[in-house]
Amino acid sequence: MKPVTLFVCGDMMTGRGIDQVLPHPSDPVIHEPYMDSALGYVALAEQANGPIPRAVTPEYIWGDALAEFDRIKPQACIVNLETAITTSQDWQPKGINYRMHPGNIGCLTAAGIDCCVLANNHVLDWGAAGLIETLDTLHAAGIGTAGAGRNRHEAETPAIVQLDNGYRVLVFSFGMESSGVPLHWAAMEDRPGVDFLADLSDRAVDAIAARMHAIRRKGDVVVASVHWGGNWGYRIAPEERRFAHRLIERAGVDLFHGHSSHHPKGIEVHREKLILYGCGDLINDYEGISGHEAFRADLGLMYFPVLDTPSGRLLELQMVPVQMKRLRLNPPCAADTRWLCTMLDREGRHFGTSTQLRAEARVALQWEGSPGPRTASG
């Protein structure tokens, strides 16, 4: 069978400063302890790296990354959208609130995004009305959603991306309290919310497995997308690793897509299936903000796993390093790319993974039993 190439990434925060430079900025008023206008984040980025144009095209924030989509041509693009898309004024008193104006939805369609996972700690920043408008805006643009809904049934229903080879990608999305998702955001029978994952027990694994087996068809690729853990730090707890392993073993998950950390974390291949414990941020407005510099949160990765169908086993993982500068994605310098490789090698040593730097600063994952190089498009 022909392999399938996916694109996945970590947090996409298209609100606040990003939203302000797009064609239809929201009211910039925000309610944070240290900032009362989203324009302040644009000013910080300009202080760090120079002037940023306003009313940019929707493609602007992707920068050079769009050429990578054209080159690799993934069959399904999945992102963690950590921003409400809404004009709601029902801001929640939680310290930091992200929203993007619905008129800026083109910044997602410009990159051909197929699915936004929404079980995270910002999708309800502007209340239930904000969540419902987010769902309506994404669906009207032809973008699937997973992990949030008008009720529990909708929140638990996976996004389905139809592939050209007749198979499907099923995307399940879960949010945990450890990442800042409050318990009262859990979707109920009669209440909008997220697919809340209370713990990492075997009981939780079995419940997820039952849901996956009920909808899965032969040849489907199953993605489990989990928003978990803190923003900073490389440690992967034993219970997190065990949970990812059990989802592969019992639920038949083909790709474990973890996120919440603002920087990439270690990568593992378990039973020929890919585990991304923390993908890091892809797009954010943190440029110019001091603190946690050792983690290099300005550097990110675009992940392009190539999976066999129908087995779902990993054939190749190609990663493209990027850097946020002037609120757009740019290629990092050679030294920064090497820094990412060194970090991934260090954090992957315990899992038996390492990296290989290839032509044009592409990074390939190496693991025990990994096949030789191949083209990402199969």
Side-chain angles (χ1 to χ4, degrees), residues 250-270:
R250 298 187 186 182
V253 165
D254 300 304
L255 169 59
F256 188 95
H257 174 220
H259 36 83
S260 178
S261 60
H262 289 323
H263 54 84
K265 300 175 76 170
I267 302 173
E268 184 175 14
V269 179
H270 177 67

Side-chain angles (χ1 to χ4, degrees), residues 89-100:
Q89 297 298 319
D90 185 22
W91 66 277
Q92 303 298 298
K94 57 188 292 289
I96 296 176
N97 302 70
Y98 284 97
R99 69 169 171 178
M100 177 180 80

Side-chain angles (χ1 to χ4, degrees), residues 169-220:
V169 178
L170 308 182
V171 184
F172 294 81
S173 170
F174 311 93
M176 297 200 70
E177 192 170 18
S178 62
S179 69
V181 181
L183 176 59
H184 68 268
W185 280 16
M188 306 297 285
E189 298 303 325
D190 58 351
R191 186 181 73 190
V194 304
D195 193 352
F196 187 83
L197 180 61
D199 58 56
L200 304 176
S201 65
D202 282 350
R203 184 177 179 180
V205 170
D206 290 341
I208 293 170
R211 287 167 50 189
M212 291 179 172
H213 292 321
I215 193 170
R216 184 175 195 165
R217 300 196 306 231
K218 183 177 180 181
D220 285 344

Side-chain angles (χ1 to χ4, degrees), residues 75-78 114-115 144 159-163 167-171:
Q75 283 86 54
C77 297
I78 302 162
D114 296 293
C115 171
I160 300 177
V161 181
Q162 190 70 48
L163 301 176
Y167 294 127
R168 308 179 300 172
V169 178
L170 308 182
V171 184

Side-chain angles (χ1 to χ4, degrees), residues 83 112 181 186 200 242 246 306 349 365:
T83 300
V181 181
L200 304 176
R242 185 175 184 274
R246 292 294 185 269
V306 183
R349 190 173 299 120
L365 185 72

Side-chain angles (χ1 to χ4, degrees), residues 92-372:
Q92 303 298 298
K94 57 188 292 289
I96 296 176
N97 302 70
Y98 284 97
R99 69 169 171 178
M100 177 180 80
H101 193 281
N104 291 328
I105 188 65
C107 73
L108 296 177
T109 57
I113 302 305
D114 296 293
C115 171
C116 291
V117 295
L118 300 178
N120 57 57
N121 59 311
H122 286 290
V123 73
L124 276 152
D125 277 2
W126 299 85
L131 169 58
I132 291 171
E133 189 174 8
T134 299
L135 295 167
D136 288 343
T137 304
L138 289 168
H139 295 164
I143 299 173
T145 59
R150 290 168 175 79
N151 50 53
R152 179 182 292 164
H153 173 74
E154 189 172 310
E156 292 182 349
T157 300
I160 300 177
V161 181
Q162 190 70 48
L163 301 176
D164 292 339
N165 62 8
Y167 294 127
R168 308 179 300 172
V169 178
L170 308 182
V171 184
F172 294 81
S173 170
F174 311 93
M176 297 200 70
E177 192 170 18
S178 62
S179 69
V181 181
L183 176 59
H184 68 268
W185 280 16
M188 306 297 285
E189 298 303 325
D190 58 351
R191 186 181 73 190
V194 304
D195 193 352
F196 187 83
L197 180 61
D199 58 56
L200 304 176
S201 65
D202 282 350
R203 184 177 179 180
V205 170
D206 290 341
I208 293 170
R211 287 167 50 189
M212 291 179 172
H213 292 321
I215 193 170
R216 184 175 195 165
R217 300 196 306 231
K218 183 177 180 181
D220 285 344
V221 173
V222 177
V223 178
S225 188
V226 182
H227 202 62
W228 62 352
N231 294 149
W232 308 103
Y234 294 106
R235 181 177 181 269
I236 296 163
E239 59 268 24
E240 293 174 336
R241 188 181 187 193
R242 185 175 184 274
F243 179 75
H245 287 190
R246 292 294 185 269
L247 281 187
I248 290 169
E249 297 161 1
R250 298 187 186 182
V253 165
D254 300 304
L255 169 59
F256 188 95
H257 174 220
H259 36 83
S260 178
S261 60
H262 289 323
H263 54 84
K265 300 175 76 170
I267 302 173
E268 184 175 14
V269 179
H270 177 67
R271 296 195 178 183
E272 301 185 286
K273 304 297 178 67
L274 177 62
I275 302 175
L276 301 170
Y277 284 105
C279 290
D281 290 352
L282 185 70
I283 292 175
N284 61 37
D285 64 354
Y286 292 172
E287 196 175 341
I289 299 175
S290 60
H292 303 287
E293 284 86 353
F295 292 101
R296 294 301 310 271
D298 59 312
L299 300 176
L301 290 167
M302 303 173 71
Y303 300 84
F304 294 96
V306 183
L307 309 182
D308 175 63
T309 53
S311 71
R313 67 186 180 90
L314 180 66
L315 299 177
E316 180 183 13
L317 173 61
Q318 182 176 177
M319 294 169 281
V320 178
V322 291
Q323 182 177 40
M324 282 299 291
K325 186 175 289 187
R326 300 178 67 224
L327 298 183
R328 71 191 296 270
L329 294 175
N330 301 271
C333 67
D336 286 342
T337 296
R338 289 194 296 271
W339 185 94
L340 281 168
C341 289
T342 299
M343 179 275 295
L344 289 172
D345 289 345
R346 181 191 72 226
E347 299 304 319
R349 190 173 299 120
H350 180 63
F351 304 129
T353 60
S354 60
T355 60
Q356 180 184 76
L357 186 58
R358 294 184 179 171
E360 300 182 17
R362 275 57 170 198
V363 179
L365 185 72
Q366 304 292 300
W367 69 96
E368 184 178 354
S370 57

Side-chain angles (χ1 to χ4, degrees), residues 20-73:
Q20 291 303 304
V21 304
L22 288 168
H24 305 281
S26 303
D27 181 344
V29 173
I30 54 177
H31 308 272
E32 299 182 9
Y34 304 107
M35 193 80 72
D36 59 12
S37 172
L39 290 168
Y41 289 99
V42 181
L44 286 174
E46 290 183 320
Q47 290 171 19
N49 291 306
I52 297 170
R54 303 301 197 272
V56 298
T57 64
E59 294 82 5
Y60 173 85
I61 63 172
W62 292 96
D64 294 84
L66 288 180
E68 298 301 329
F69 289 121
D70 290 338
R71 179 179 68 89
I72 297 176
K73 295 179 172 58

